[in-house]
Amino acid sequence: MSKLLMSYKEIRESIKLKENEWNNIRTTNCYAYALGLDIPSGKLMSFGFEYPYDVGVIGSDFYQYDYFDLFGFSLEERLFLDLNALGIEFEESNQFDKIPNNNQNLSWLIAMYKDANSPDFHFLRKINNYYWMHKVGMYGNISNRDSKGNLITDLDTSTFIYSEKNRIIDYRFEKVYKLSLYR
């Protein structure tokens, strides 16, 4: 298993909840965007078998799990590994919950989706108390629109269906979590 190249403290201190200003658009994914980690993947981990923004990879390094051990965990369990390793408190939430406004600590909502036909995942982040944003795929841009072009204000009516390499990816809503990072 590859080791992280940054300390957990450095990663935590790098978390910024930027909206559209995203520097590492080609080396991060939706999960990195949801967590506020605008760090190029190569700065987090040497290029190898694992991709640091696969859910659970950051936490598996902390808990000394082998990459292949992650296949035995659910998507939610892998998310919890990462959040615990980074010292981010979390609780299940509601998509319409308000985001607390606190200048010293960060609080935000993320939504977790899973493809109906594969282990693929998708994450969104609530930007303000009105709409959600996400990074579309590994090389896509930041958007506040779903795959039908509708503004993402209600996760129950938003659609995330994409065509990739001759297959259809149909992301289904799983849960919303409120995250809190105390600095």
Side-chain angles (χ1 to χ4, degrees):
M1 166 132 194
S2 299
K3 292 297 216 178
L4 290 174
L5 301 174
M6 294 176 68
S7 72
Y8 285 94
K9 181 180 181 200
E10 291 171 316
I11 297 170
R12 281 172 50 91
E13 290 172 353
S14 298
I15 294 173
K16 307 259 186 302
L17 302 179
K18 303 182 284 185
E19 289 185 37
N20 293 318
E21 179 189 326
W22 200 253
N23 298 323
N24 298 290
I25 200 81
R26 303 289 178 242
T27 59
T28 58
N29 63 5
C30 60
Y31 186 52
Y33 181 77
L35 294 180
L37 290 171
D38 192 5
I39 304 168
S41 57
K43 188 174 177 183
L44 267 183
M45 185 176 279
S46 298
F47 293 102
F49 192 72
E50 305 96 356
Y51 175 63
Y53 293 123
D54 277 344
V55 182
V57 170
I58 291 172
S60 67
D61 182 71
F62 184 82
Y63 292 105
Q64 300 181 343
Y65 287 118
D66 184 75
Y67 176 71
F68 296 103
D69 292 336
L70 294 177
F71 298 117
F73 292 99
S74 70
L75 180 61
E76 183 177 52
E77 290 169 328
R78 294 191 324 258
L79 171 65
F80 294 169
L81 281 177
D82 288 343
L83 297 176
N84 283 324
L86 292 170
I88 299 172
E89 293 183 13
F90 58 91
E91 62 183 301
E92 198 168 326
S93 190
N94 178 298
Q95 67 164 312
F96 299 109
D97 282 350
K98 301 291 184 200
I99 301 170
N101 188 4
N102 186 332
N103 293 333
Q104 293 178 339
N105 302 310
L106 296 177
S107 291
W108 68 106
L109 298 179
I110 64 170
M112 180 175 71
Y113 284 73
K114 193 173 157 201
D115 180 28
N117 302 307
S118 78
D120 201 2
F121 57 83
H122 192 58
F123 283 85
L124 289 81
R125 177 168 27 109
K126 194 168 190 180
I127 294 303
N128 55 37
N129 289 319
Y130 305 106
Y131 65 92
W132 294 79
M133 292 187 74
H134 62 129
K135 184 175 183 307
V136 183
M138 176 71 164
Y139 302 107
N141 293 315
I142 307 301
S143 176
N144 61 0
R145 306 267 173 187
D146 68 6
S147 58
K148 291 185 176 181
N150 298 318
L151 188 64
I152 308 167
T153 56
D154 183 345
L155 300 178
D156 294 328
T157 60
S158 297
T159 302
F160 301 96
I161 300 175
Y162 302 95
S163 177
E164 180 183 279
K165 297 179 185 176
N166 300 323
R167 71 181 181 105
I168 302 296
I169 302 171
D170 182 5
Y171 294 111
R172 304 287 173 94
F173 174 72
E174 293 282 316
K175 291 184 180 178
V176 170
Y177 299 95
K178 176 186 169 198
L179 307 184
S180 299
L181 179 61
Y182 300 98
R183 299 195 186 214

